[in-house]
Amino acid sequence: LHVRSRRQRQMCIRDRDTTTLPLTGLLTTDNIESAVFTSSGELDCNNNFGYFIPNPSIETVKLSSISNDIFPLGNSIGDEITYTVSVGNTGNVELNNVFLSDTIVDFFNNTLSLNSGPTFINSSGGSLEGTLLIGESASYSATYILVQSDVDAGGVQNRVTARGTSPTNVVVKDNSEVNDSISQYPLLQVVKTANISEVCVNDLVTYTISVSNIGNVSLDNIILLDTLRDFLGNILILNTEPTFIVADLGSSEAVSYTHLRAHETGRNL
């Protein structure tokens, strides 16, 4: 007859040489958390008596990869990042109520939202979502599509925390994070043209200026400095200062002179 009484185990420990007992142990057929009665009803402390120390533990590993790489190569606007999460039971007891908390922020620490997931895929031992047997691991997946603000921030950080509860209601947790950096290429292009190439006295020359952001990040604090000289180097005065016409991605005049989104062009006269 096997019983699981703490009092009976303590009685056996007092009755035997405790110096021969190991300090720690795992549950095996020769090391069972129970006491065995003899046929006379006495505790048989020398027959298959042992003990078990629960050690709940959980491990989380998160990886990322580009699942839809839009030109240019590498992390860039429009790319879809797929996150794969592996949660393993590294302890010596079953874990229940296993769940994930997933957060994603850009490198400016602005909170973002995953496009999908994290979604349970499967477990190595066949357990349903929320349960992990000893040595079992579960796989999850999530996705995120990069937008312009992520490029401006220089990348995104995704962190997942996995929690599980042991049979004795001990909660264990572990987290893993992955950083996806985005290469930034700030580049500004200015093109100025005139409506006539040869001038006479009293001719009105109209200059058209195109300011283009040909990089991959938004540009701020854009300032136009326009100077006019004759061929002798004398400084002349424009009849009118550069006047905003339009930005091809819809920025207003106030925005265009201080901020151009990636691949946006502002035109002025």
Side-chain angles (χ1 to χ4, degrees):
L1 174 64
H2 294 269
V3 295
R4 295 179 178 273
S5 167
R6 176 177 296 180
R7 177 175 174 275
Q8 290 163 342
R9 291 198 303 273
Q10 290 173 342
M11 290 173 59
C12 283
I13 291 174
R14 285 198 302 268
D15 291 342
R16 65 185 297 179
D17 181 6
T18 56
T19 61
T20 63
L21 293 176
L23 295 178
T24 60
L26 295 178
L27 183 62
T28 67
T29 56
D30 295 322
N31 185 18
I32 303 174
E33 188 185 7
S34 62
V36 180
F37 284 102
T38 64
S39 58
S40 61
E42 299 295 328
L43 283 172
D44 184 358
C45 294
N46 294 314
N47 184 9
N48 205 24
F49 176 78
Y51 69 99
F52 172 65
I53 298 178
N55 183 30
S57 178
I58 195 169
E59 182 180 57
T60 307
V61 177
K62 179 164 223 176
L63 301 174
S64 67
S65 62
I66 302 177
S67 51
N68 182 26
D69 196 353
I70 298 175
F71 183 85
L73 294 178
N75 292 326
S76 60
I77 184 171
D79 285 353
E80 181 181 71
I81 299 177
T82 294
Y83 297 102
T84 302
V85 183
S86 177
V87 180
N89 182 348
T90 54
N92 60 4
V93 293
E94 180 179 314
L95 294 177
N96 293 290
N97 301 318
V98 177
F99 70 96
L100 305 184
S101 300
D102 202 308
T103 59
I104 182 169
V105 297
D106 63 26
F107 282 5
F108 290 151
N109 206 36
N110 296 309
T111 301
L112 310 173
S113 297
L114 291 167
N115 292 95
S116 67
T119 303
F120 175 78
I121 301 175
N122 55 39
S123 61
S124 60
S127 295
L128 298 178
E129 182 178 6
T131 298
L132 284 177
L133 303 177
I134 299 172
E136 187 177 32
S137 63
S139 298
Y140 301 79
S141 180
T143 62
Y144 178 74
I145 298 176
L146 295 171
V147 297
Q148 182 61 55
S149 59
D150 302 326
V151 181
D152 293 343
V156 295
Q157 179 189 86
N158 188 218
R159 168 178 285 211
V160 64
T161 300
R163 292 177 173 84
T165 305
S166 75
T168 55
N169 292 320
V170 175
V171 176
V172 291
K173 66 179 180 178
D174 186 41
N175 61 66
S176 178
E177 67 181 34
V178 59
N179 294 308
D180 288 283
S181 300
I182 303 174
S183 298
Q184 296 178 315
Y185 304 102
L187 191 59
L188 192 66
Q189 181 183 69
V190 180
V191 177
K192 188 170 192 176
T193 59
N195 64 325
I196 55 178
S197 58
E198 295 184 5
V199 295
C200 298
V201 176
N202 294 326
D203 279 351
L204 178 65
V205 182
T206 300
Y207 298 101
T208 301
I209 306 167
S210 293
V211 181
S212 301
N213 181 353
I214 58 175
N216 71 339
V217 294
S218 300
L219 298 176
D220 295 305
N221 303 315
I222 297 172
I223 300 174
L224 296 184
L225 299 176
D226 200 323
T227 58
L228 182 64
R229 300 174 184 268
D230 63 22
F231 282 5
L232 297 177
N234 299 308
I235 296 177
L236 308 177
I237 298 176
L238 290 167
N239 294 93
T240 59
E241 291 296 321
T243 303
F244 174 79
I245 302 175
V246 68
D248 59 6
L249 294 185
S251 295
S252 66
E253 179 178 6
V255 173
S256 293
Y257 279 109
T258 60
H259 175 88
L260 277 179
R261 290 173 287 182
H263 310 296
E264 184 172 26
T265 299
R267 297 186 61 204
N268 309 272
L269 283 180

